[in-house]
Amino acid sequence: MNRLLRCFFLLCCCMIVSGFLWAQDGRLLQTPFTPPFSKGSIQSYFESITQKTGISISYSTAVLNGQQKVKMHGDEHSVSDVLKTIIGKQPLKIVERADKILIVPIDAPDEGSTGSVSQFFPTDGYIKDKNTKEALIGASIYFPALSAGTVTNSFGFYSITLPRGIYKAYVSYVGYRTDTVVFNVNDHRRVDMLLQQDGSRLREVKVSAHRSNENNGDYIQLSMRDIARYQSLLGETDVMRALQMYPGVQSGIDGTTGIQVRGGDPGQNLNLLDGVPLYYVDHLFGVTSVYNSDAIKSVDFYKGAFPARYGGRISSIVDVHTKDGDMQTTGGQFTMGLVKASLMLEGPILKDRCSYMVSARRTWIDGLFAPFYSQVGVNFYDINAKVNYILNDDNHIYLSFYNGRDQIRYSEDDAFFRTRWGNTIASAKWNSILNPKFFLNTIFTYSQFSYELKDQNQVIDSGIISNLSNYVGVSSIKDISLQLQGQWFPNYRHKVEFGGNYARTYFVPTEIQSTDSKVIVPPTKGSGTMLSNELTVYAEDEIKISKKFSTRLGLHWANWYSGQYDYSSLQPRVYFSYDVNSESSLYASFSHMAQFLHLINNNTYGLPTDFWVPSTKIIKPEEAYQGTLGYNTTIAGVHANVEVYYKDMLNVITYTAGKTLFDNSDNWQQKVEQGKGWAYGAELSLEKRIGPVSASLAYTLAWNWRQFDDLNNGDPFPYRYDRRHNIKIAGTYRIKKGMRFTANWMFMSGEAFTLPDQVYPDFDNNLLITQGNASSTSYTYHYSKWNAYRLPAVHRLDIGMDFVKKKKNNLERTWSVGIFNVYARKNVMFVTLTNDLEKGNLQLQGLSYLQFIPYVTYKLKF
Amino acid sequence: MKWTKVISKTIAYFSIAVLLNACTKDLKLPDISAKNEVVLLGELVAGDSINFRGGQSVPLSSGSSLKFELPAGLAATMTSSSGMLWTLNGRVDGFSNMVHTLIFSAPDLIQSGQTYTITAQNSQLGTASCSVTIPQPFNTYVADTATVLYSGSNLWRAKVNIIDDGSAMNFYTIEALKQKVYIDGTFTYNGQTIKASDNKDLYDSLKAAGTLPPVIWDTSYSPTYERVDIYTDDPATENIKLSNALSTNRRILLSDVRFNGLAYTTSVYLDTTIFRADEDSAKGRIVLLVKSVSESYFNFLKGYEMYEPSTGFTSLAQPVKIDGNVTNGMGMVGGVYLHKFVYTFDQWDW
């Protein structure tokens, strides 16, 4: 890791030095230039200079008419000569600033002047959806004349400080028509903008000067339109499934919604819902995630180049923002699929002042099976609710709530068994614009995940209860936090973010509560409630050093403490971007991340046998050091990104072989082990749109290793999901208005698993001891190496058709039909060894499901 | 725990109900170039004669057959730290076909405190060896027994007191086995020697009439045992660290970390299901074994305790690697010093 860090910083220093060298004043004006024509418009001369020298010239149309014809004297041999001829006797002056030349009024003071009147003025406001007044996150506003711009924050707010003048700006957002707005900058202005949705396009390229905010290998922003492109199993539209279509992201078991990012496991992903952490993100064994697509506005996903404001997990950030609610009209959406039904309602409480959004889902398929098999019940529900209240122009309040539950129930005669698990979260946010350059967000959050298992056995003999056991086991994690997030926009070259967070977390890893009053010998006590405090502070500056070169430098400090331990972690986060030209950029990043919580994961279904445990005196926080290097470009209309990464992980955690964690024990720390991990690889993504057809390709070549002292004799071994090749191809064809065809093909190399290499006769049998009815053919498996074998590769094709029809009264209904795994590939989920008595040998068998599953869903928007 | 079986069953039902087209397909085992290896299994018990078993493993490779052949010509030598040497030839006994191993035995008694080195050799399997240290003697007694309610079930509790000698690190196991006992008698009637079990009606009628001649009773014990499920709630045991107080165990594993040189009392709870039998052929006695074992044997048993042969192999479950003490081979020969406590709950109807 140290070598990687040194190399990275050396590279960055070179980039910084070259950027600053480029920024020296005076050099641009002296650049040799001979005009290719003696007479022409001012604008044509400026374009010629830019074309031949690469120097950008900016001016305000208020002070210079670009169409005015000028004539050269014939003795101009430098840029300065030409410009002096152009401005002639006009009251203008030529200013060289960083990497460009400005033509400004002669009495305009220099930037940063301490004169009594500043010539730079802030402009701030919100960018929202024209119809619903929903704030747009990450919308871009760009001033080409200044090569400057900014993007809206998580609440749709932007702020930018510009020199006096009149400028044209492009305001853009994916899925919306780009707007052109003229700014007359001569004072502080509050400019709120409304963008119109563009239903004809699936994807637009955002016009932005901030490369760090554009989708690249490390950062992806998804809108609902992006998520809807990837309908898959049972017609579910799901955030996590959409993320699985990007390079560097893979599922665990095929068909489930869990994600593994660049060699990390699911417990290393920070899943946020409106800024509140979620501790469990699967419903129904991973068929769908807890994120209700009907309630989602946008998703920010980071797998590298982590901004300093994020912390607490080491592999990825999934930051999901829900809708605020339509400020204008009441409406909603009803969706019915094969497994569940969903209803979303939104609308104004006070028009243009206060709105609400409520969305709920529940399975209905358990009701279908109930008449035939009432002993078993499996279902889930969840509900999202949000209220958005605008106190005044500078103050906004948001209240969010989520509650979801999964349940498995089994009853038979006098026995009853039930297990249920789920999240409950709530948050209250207060946005405040303290001044045009300063935005403050205060958040209070509550998050709880709990798992309960109830087992009752009642024996009734001659009408008398002769034996009764009532077993209840629980596992839970609950945290309460207060966060302050500040954003300061001193000028258009800097965007400073800083803040802090205090969280108090209560863990109950395992606890069994037996309510059997007849028990003389009670079970031993559980793990008890563990309390931990977390304090974080961060600061970050996003700097546009020059026209081509920008950087984001940040520091995140976290401290976890209780009566028994005190851990601190100082985490630098750096990101550099260099614009090779208007279509291409080179970028690099380094991040140090740490996490105090650990998920002991069963790596299989979305089952609640995963446990969150804290760091303790014995269990240290996990850490990761990740470096990335990437290149973005657009060639012949193809958006391409290629990136390489290396990630070092320390103190990764796993079960010690064969043990289960959920039990009545306060020794859970002895059942886990910490070790090392490292992952590296290359990612490629391509995207192209031609008319009604769009296609994308994501390819990942990756290696993923683990090492634990007590496993595999201490030797490194491949991580279970060390899939060498990962390919996803997605295509969409808009056949005609209201009809769309999608096809997704994916390929994943087989996962690694441990197979015994020998069997030998059973030990107890050879002591002539039998275990009940155990067969004398019992044998013992012998393992030499961990994860030395591979399951067969997984691949499948999913297709779908959407039929959209707009009806009267603003109704829009959509029928979606499709097939998951069209060619019925038997993708093996896991393997077993069975004793083939006929052949007299052990047979390796793979179990697969999810072959050729048709689906149909109905959606009604109103 | 039983709830794990319930949840497993529930998930299985759900999977079948919802995931309608699950199916299996046969996969080819990898072609590995592993060969069969020598396997040594058993215990060397202080005060008992030399007795252990040897066989061979089967590599899990494409085309290999799951058939434990008895390795003809498997021979072993055993040396002790006091310089004694035994040459042993593996032979077939009445259990070889059942347990797939040959027996190696000699009448000499195993001595505590000695270290024995076993070297087994076969022309095709090669040479494997293991070193077995026999623990020093120790004292133990059962202080108390009672029937108690343990988490809703009636179990039989024994309080075992172990007196640790403190001179070294000691490792203890406690297990319970049912050993069948055969009681039969012979008597003379009308000049004929009659076995009571062969003519129970005559025996019963003579007994009822009060004219039963003297009976010579013969008691024999089965060489095989049936394991009794055992529980513990002692946090000092490895079992609590591995699982929990409600899990059934084969053996209770306890090291002297917390009571080195002291007397220590631990309670064990036995499942009484097989304590009593209806049929004479299933009747027997409960043998409670308190053993001091070698460290390598203790570590082997820890892995073995987690291992569930009946559940088979699945790639979903974390594998349990059981570390034996056989070099260039597999298995475990453990060193043991044991105390035996016998309890009889069955009654014979003679």
Side-chain angles (χ1 to χ4, degrees), chain B residues 150-170:
Chain B
Y150 188 89
S151 192
S153 299
N154 286 315
L155 299 184
W156 186 81
R157 182 206 66 210
K159 282 189 182 176
V160 177
N161 191 291
I162 297 171
I163 298 145
D164 187 76
D165 69 6
S167 61
M169 188 88 175
N170 295 310

Side-chain angles (χ1 to χ4, degrees), chain B residues 166-187:
Chain B
S167 61
M169 188 88 175
N170 295 310
F171 304 90
Y172 302 100
T173 73
I174 305 172
E175 60 187 298
L177 308 170
K178 182 163 188 184
Q179 183 181 35
K180 287 181 188 163
V181 176
Y182 305 105
I183 300 176
D184 206 350
T186 52
F187 59 94

